[in-house]
Amino acid sequence: MSQQEESGDGTAASINEQFFAAILAGLSGDVAPILGYLNQEMANIQVQTKKSKVTSEFGTVIGLISVMPVLNVVVTTFQYAYSSAETADWFTSVTCGSVEHYSYDYKFTVVNYNYDPTS
């Protein structure tokens, strides 16, 4: 489990890119090739968050499947990223796909789970 904080100024896409780069930092490579997909999914999460009344925390689960080349073993990792209700108010006010710049200062927690099929 790790607690993180991001702050600055940027468009919805640049904020998402920074957020996902922080969450997926353990992966090699860049999030840029999948940023379109990540922005679309973040917009979907935003719509669902707007529909609900967040009273405590809200978040999302990201599933990653990879192969450890040396051992030829499939590894499944789930990451749960969540934040407070105060962040939900800011999160739902950002217009996904907009080129407008937003100031941001939010904290979030990331919890990692590894699936081990042998246990």
Side-chain angles (χ1 to χ4, degrees), residues 18-34:
Q18 183 175 347
F19 173 72
F20 283 110
I23 290 179
L24 304 175
L27 299 177
S28 60
D30 189 5
V31 297
I34 59 171

Side-chain angles (χ1 to χ4, degrees), residues 9-60:
D9 179 80
T11 64
S14 67
I15 295 168
N16 279 341
E17 183 173 19
Q18 183 175 347
F19 173 72
F20 283 110
I23 290 179
L24 304 175
L27 299 177
S28 60
D30 189 5
V31 297
I34 59 171
L35 188 56
Y37 169 77
L38 294 173
N39 282 331
Q40 180 182 352
E41 291 307 308
M42 187 62 89
N44 292 338
I45 294 167
Q46 190 179 42
V47 167
Q48 292 304 314
T49 304
K50 283 181 182 179
K51 289 180 181 178
S52 61
K53 179 160 177 52
V54 177
T55 57
S56 178
E57 296 168 338
F58 75 106
T60 187

Side-chain angles (χ1 to χ4, degrees), residues 30-110:
D30 189 5
V31 297
I34 59 171
L35 188 56
Y37 169 77
L38 294 173
N39 282 331
Q40 180 182 352
E41 291 307 308
M42 187 62 89
N44 292 338
I45 294 167
Q46 190 179 42
V47 167
Q48 292 304 314
T49 304
K50 283 181 182 179
K51 289 180 181 178
S52 61
K53 179 160 177 52
V54 177
T55 57
S56 178
E57 296 168 338
F58 75 106
T60 187
V61 174
I62 301 169
L64 306 166
I65 300 172
S66 58
V67 176
M68 292 178 62
V70 176
L71 301 175
N72 199 27
V73 174
V74 175
V75 177
T76 306
T77 303
F78 295 97
Q79 293 178 301
Y80 178 51
Y82 65 94
S83 191
S84 67
E86 292 79 20
T87 301
D89 292 338
W90 168 80
F91 175 69
T92 56
S93 72
V94 174
T95 305
C96 284
S98 168
V99 294
E100 180 181 347
H101 277 245
Y102 299 91
S103 292
Y104 59 95
D105 184 7
Y106 60 89
K107 297 176 184 170
F108 59 96
T109 303
V110 178

